[in-house]
Amino acid sequence: MAGFADFLGPILEMMTWVGFVPGVPLLVWAWVIARRRCQWVTADGEQFAAGGFLGLRWVDLEHEERKVLLDIAATEGGTATGSVVVHYDACHPSRCSLEPPRYDHTVLILGWILTGVGILSTLGGLVLVAL
């Protein structure tokens, strides 16, 4: 058993450092990103054609009318004008979309995985010392 502990001990200690050192800062970074992110709001809007492009028109939370031209030519799909649901950034209303926003949680997931590896390696090292 002593040979096994001599072999596994340094590996667990290294994995503890490999997990905690990048994992905890990644969790802090993900928390900062989540706190700085503005809320996206939905509004009833209207889709219109303007100069060969599609545009969106809606009224935001401050009751101001907003108009934005999309990067889609009117000849491509979605040429129908009419009412649509507009999703827009409350801090920057010019950032809008017809689809709900999808957030990227890569930093949070990677932080949880690395921190979990660090916690499991620490617990494994403690169990190894107790044996």
Side-chain angles (χ1 to χ4, degrees):
M1 187 71 163
F4 182 69
D6 291 340
F7 172 73
L8 195 57
I11 293 174
L12 287 174
E13 184 174 350
M14 182 186 67
M15 291 305 294
T16 298
W17 287 102
V18 166
F20 277 130
V21 170
V24 173
L26 284 174
L27 287 177
V28 171
W29 184 19
W31 179 78
V32 168
I33 289 172
R35 298 294 296 168
R36 295 196 61 194
R37 183 178 295 148
C38 290
Q39 178 184 5
W40 280 64
V41 184
T42 60
D44 292 329
E46 180 183 357
Q47 188 174 355
F48 62 92
F53 290 95
L54 290 176
L56 298 175
R57 180 183 310 135
W58 74 94
V59 177
D60 65 4
L61 294 174
E62 287 88 31
H63 302 292
E64 292 183 32
E65 184 178 27
R66 301 284 181 176
K67 295 179 186 176
V68 175
L69 285 178
L70 300 176
D71 293 335
I72 304 168
T75 57
E76 294 179 12
T79 59
T81 59
S83 63
V84 293
V85 176
V86 178
H87 303 274
Y88 68 95
D89 190 346
C91 298
H92 310 282
S94 63
R95 292 178 47 193
C96 63
S97 175
L98 295 175
E99 301 292 326
R102 294 187 59 195
Y103 299 116
D104 185 21
H105 299 290
T106 306
V107 175
L108 180 64
I109 292 169
L110 191 58
W112 277 119
I113 289 172
L114 288 173
T115 304
V117 165
I119 290 171
L120 291 176
S121 297
T122 302
L123 292 175
L126 291 174
V127 166
L128 196 60
V129 168
L131 294 176

